[in-house]
Structures are given as structure tokens and as C-alpha cells.
Amino acid sequence: MSAPLLPRPDQALHDRVLTELGMDHASVPIPAPAHRVPLPSRLATADLAWASVASVASVAGISAELDPDRIALSYRSDRLLTVDDTAPSVWSPYSGFWRSRDGWVRTHGNYRHHAEALLRGLGITDLDAISSAFAERTSTEAATAISSEGGLAVVVSTERPAEDAALRRTPLLDVRGVEGPGRAPLAPEIPLPLSPVRALPLSGIRVLDLTRVIAGPVCTRTLALLGADVLRIDPPHLPEAEWQHFDTGHGKRSALLDARSSEMHALLAQADVVVLGYRPAALDRLGFSPEVLAERYPGLVIAQLSAWGVDHPERAGFDSLVQAESGIALVESADGDRPGALPAQALDHSAGYLLAASVVALLERRRRDGGTWQVRTSLRRIAAELLGMPRNAEPAPERDVDPAPHTAHFAIGGRRLATARPALPGLDFRAPHEWGADQPRW
């Protein structure tokens, strides 16, 4: 008797996502890609990317065929980006792998305040001394010293199968109806506005974007692509890198505002969705925890993303750091010594698409059942999912892809911008606005 056929890894992940979102996955199977998504790695990065984008297409009712090449270039959008025909430098010299006395440390210093904290933690004043400063310390000593100063550094670790298996027993997308601490009643049914264009299911939906750095912005960029009115709010004291905003700011307005201001609460009162990308503890201090938001603004759909999960509320992080600490970097090592990396910031991009799928599904659930809804996930939870998927013995050869048909061009404030076109078929991005150029109002 032959063994039953197991579902494709991408199909299995897609089905799990739809089940967690309360949908019948049997009614929306995803076809196999025409060829593998060209994101070659030992881990199942291609399957993760295909399933993540397909999940958005499924919940948004997009039936057009997905393009594996388009998905790969979208996941690597920073490599396609040019501003005035020049590719920006996307990694700071303070970000990378550093050999320590007993292994490796991964740092992230793209933001100036993180780079300055790294130097303070190591007790040095310039980049020239950084290699020797790491070589003098163990990995744990270096990472602890940097973190204690507010910098970002992790020990590059081997994978921990028992920890990953425990994480995989928790929801990938933790969905729940939320009532605030005062047990405010759940909102009555709030209809999802009918779109005048069938391809734009979120027309009329207001999304407040409180996120930074790839994952959250990819989520809200996708919601804008689906027709939502997305307003991104940033703190005035924390400038964003221009290239990073241009890479993920498509279709959104951008404004600067103190989160504690009355204007912020006015925006929340009129929003349908808020997407949160800051550390859980920072949100608590601002009074923006999902429970508090649910109590104050019944009917809101609340999407929360963090690097390490709500069990680590004070801990900041980025995709590259989660790859390093979770074991992904050593799995992807080319020589068994120096750590490697996934072929894209795949944890970030996948988190963005999966959160976007969740928002679309929960807006429909709110339309049908009423209520206030929350979904949360983390880069670490997605890393555990990837580490549990079937692996490749060796990465596939790199596939040459002509970027021309997958590139969009915009003129923004006298600048020429070239960016990746959307992974979702049949839709095109609207141009990003300049960072902070809009007023904080709907």
C-alpha cells in the first residue's frame, strides 16, 4: 500500500495560514509555480515566499497567476532600487558579522543611534578598531556590552530544534477577538465599503501605519496596493533613510507626529486598521497595547508585528539578527565557518505579506460578525516555521531574471525612482510620497 502524498510545502503553509484566519482553504488551493521562486537557499525560502504572497492573493480574491520571478525580485526590492539612477548603499559598515574570540557576532547599525551605541558598548570611537574589539571578547561578552548601551547585536548561534518545534506548536498568525481591560463591548457590525473597482477590495478603508523597516511597511504597502488609504506616522526625532522609505512607501502618505499627541488619538478614532511595528514594551508605554486600543477604539483591526515576539517585550531586532540567533545564518553558511544569510530579507517580507493577508481576512470577519480583532506574529516565529520546512541539500543555481519588466519608474520631488513592481499580479503601485511630506490627518 503506497504512502499518502504529502502536500507541497508551500501549499501546506498556505492552507495553515487560511485556517488560522478562519477561512476554508480547500476552496482556494494555490497552483504550483511555473518554476521555483528564484531565491536559492538551503532552507525553503522559495516555498515560504510563494505561500506568503499566495495567501494575500487568496484572501483578496486575486485569481491571476502569480509570477515566481516577480515574487523573487519583490523580496529583493532593495537590489532593484535606484534613486536618480544610482543604487543606494543599503547596509551600514556597522552592520555585519564579526569574528569574536569564540565564534561570531551579528550587529545592526544602519541607524546612527544604533551605530553610536555599538561603539560605546565596545569602548571604541571609530570603525577602524571594531574588528580587534570583537576579537578580544567572547561573542556573549560583545553582544551583552553592545545591548547594554542600546545597540543591536546577537550571538550567531546554531539552531535549536526543540525551541523551534515549541514555537511551531503556537499559531503562526495569532488571531483573536479583543476586549479591552474595561471589557468594553465589541463593536457592532461595520460594513466593508464596496469598492468601485473589483481589484481594489480595500477601497475606503483607513489604515494607520505605525511601523518601520521592511516587514511592517511591506504589509501596509500591500494594503495600499489593495486600495486602502494608508497614513504612515513617524516620530519627528527619528529620521528614516530615504532609500528605505522609497523602497516600501508606495501608495502611502507620510507624516510626522508625536505619538502622545491628541492628533494621534483623533487619527486612531477614525481608523479601520492600525498596524504596529514597535517593540511591545514601547507600545505599552505609549498606551498603544492592543488591549488598550481595543477598549478605546472598538471596531478596530489591530495587526502587531515584533522581532522576537510578545514574550520578549523589551527586545528590539531586525531580520538579519533573527536569522543569526535562530540558527539560519549557520545553516546558510557556504563553508561551514563564516555565517551566511537567506537570499533576501525573507522573514521581513513574508511577515509583511502574511500580516496583510490577516488584515484583509479580519476586515471581512468584522464585516460579517462585528467586533474588534487582533492578529500578531513575529520574525522569530516565522524563522521557526522556515526551519521546520523541508530543506534542500544545496542551494539551486542562481536564475538569471531580466529586471526590466518587473521594474516601476516614478518621479518624486524632482527625483527619479526605480523600484520593484508588486508581487501581486494585475496591480500597480502608486508612487511613494516623500518622507514626512504630508499632514497627519485623513
Side-chain angles (χ1 to χ4, degrees), residues 126 153 155 168 170 193 219 248 261 334 345 374 388 407:
D126 59 63
V155 176
R168 287 193 295 273
T170 67
C219 169
T248 55
S261 66
Q345 302 285 291
Q374 175 195 352
T407 304

Side-chain angles (χ1 to χ4, degrees), residues 115-176:
E116 292 172 346
L118 185 154
L119 295 176
R120 288 196 307 272
L122 295 177
I124 59 178
T125 58
D126 59 63
L127 188 64
D128 292 339
I130 195 169
S131 293
S132 58
F134 276 105
E136 294 167 358
R137 294 167 168 83
T138 67
S139 296
T140 298
E141 289 169 347
T144 300
I146 293 167
S147 298
S148 68
E149 290 291 337
L152 294 176
V154 300
V155 176
V156 177
S157 304
T158 57
E159 59 185 309
R160 298 179 288 279
E163 180 179 320
D164 292 324
L167 284 169
R168 287 193 295 273
R169 289 192 289 272
T170 67
L172 181 63
L173 297 165
D174 186 5
V175 174
R176 60 188 70 189

Side-chain angles (χ1 to χ4, degrees), residues 26-79:
S27 64
V28 281
I30 59 170
H35 56 80
R36 289 186 67 79
V37 175
L39 292 171
S41 61
R42 288 187 173 86
L43 295 173
T45 309
D47 294 318
L48 175 66
W50 182 259
S52 299
V53 176
S55 295
V56 184
S58 293
V59 299
I62 296 172
S63 58
E65 184 176 355
L66 299 176
D67 182 339
D69 293 342
R70 177 71 62 83
I71 291 174
L73 290 175
S74 177
Y75 267 59
R76 291 170 156 177
S77 57
D78 57 336
R79 305 184 191 186

Side-chain angles (χ1 to χ4, degrees), residues 105-418:
V105 176
R106 173 73 189 193
T107 62
H108 195 289
N110 280 16
Y111 286 108
R112 180 177 177 178
H113 62 290
H114 289 149
E116 292 172 346
L118 185 154
L119 295 176
R120 288 196 307 272
L122 295 177
I124 59 178
T125 58
D126 59 63
L127 188 64
D128 292 339
I130 195 169
S131 293
S132 58
F134 276 105
E136 294 167 358
R137 294 167 168 83
T138 67
S139 296
T140 298
E141 289 169 347
T144 300
I146 293 167
S147 298
S148 68
E149 290 291 337
L152 294 176
V154 300
V155 176
V156 177
S157 304
T158 57
E159 59 185 309
R160 298 179 288 279
E163 180 179 320
D164 292 324
L167 284 169
R168 287 193 295 273
R169 289 192 289 272
T170 67
L172 181 63
L173 297 165
D174 186 5
V175 174
R176 60 188 70 189
V178 180
E179 294 184 81
R183 301 195 65 79
L186 293 178
E189 180 174 322
I190 304 173
L192 186 68
L194 293 176
S195 169
V197 181
R198 286 184 61 85
L200 299 179
L202 299 189
S203 178
I205 292 296
R206 289 173 169 171
V207 177
L208 193 61
D209 178 1
L210 305 181
T211 73
R212 294 173 77 90
V213 191
I214 305 181
V218 164
C219 169
T220 53
R221 180 185 69 182
T222 304
L223 300 177
L225 182 68
L226 294 171
D229 176 10
V230 179
L231 176 60
R232 171 169 163 165
I233 297 293
D234 282 281
H237 67 279
L238 192 59
E240 182 63 286
E242 181 186 61
W243 75 263
Q244 194 157 260
H245 177 67
F246 281 161
D247 187 42
T248 55
H250 303 77
K252 297 183 268 188
R253 291 179 294 123
S254 169
L256 306 182
L257 187 65
D258 187 322
R260 295 179 174 86
S261 66
S262 59
E263 291 91 341
M264 179 68 82
H265 291 284
L267 291 172
L268 282 162
Q270 298 177 63
D272 297 288
V273 178
V274 61
V275 184
L276 307 170
Y278 293 90
R279 286 174 295 140
L283 294 172
D284 288 347
R285 287 191 287 271
L286 290 169
F288 286 174
S289 71
E291 292 75 19
V292 170
L293 291 175
E295 180 183 32
R296 291 181 179 172
Y297 311 106
L300 199 60
V301 171
I302 305 160
Q304 183 180 17
L305 170 79
S306 59
W308 304 101
V310 294
D311 292 337
H312 303 277
E314 291 284 2
R315 196 174 183 198
F318 295 102
D319 182 306
S320 58
L321 300 179
V322 176
Q323 286 191 41
E325 187 172 296
S326 68
I328 290 173
L330 290 180
V331 171
E332 296 293 344
S333 170
D335 59 8
D337 176 28
R338 184 174 182 83
L342 298 176
Q345 302 285 291
L347 306 180
D348 267 331
H349 285 270
S350 297
Y353 288 115
L354 292 172
L355 267 190
S358 303
V359 168
V360 178
L362 293 180
L363 283 167
E364 171 58 22
R365 189 178 290 192
R366 187 188 73 171
R367 183 201 66 77
R368 188 182 67 236
D369 302 330
T372 303
W373 294 91
Q374 175 195 352
V375 58
R376 67 188 184 198
T377 193
S378 69
L379 302 185
R380 182 63 183 92
R381 175 62 186 83
I382 290 171
E385 195 71 22
L386 178 60
L387 286 161
M389 295 171 72
R391 302 183 182 185
N392 306 300
E394 290 294 334
E398 190 72 56
R399 173 185 168 88
D400 290 330
V401 178
D402 177 10
H406 307 294
T407 304
H409 299 271
F410 304 102
I412 303 169
R415 316 291 298 281
R416 297 185 305 278
L417 178 66

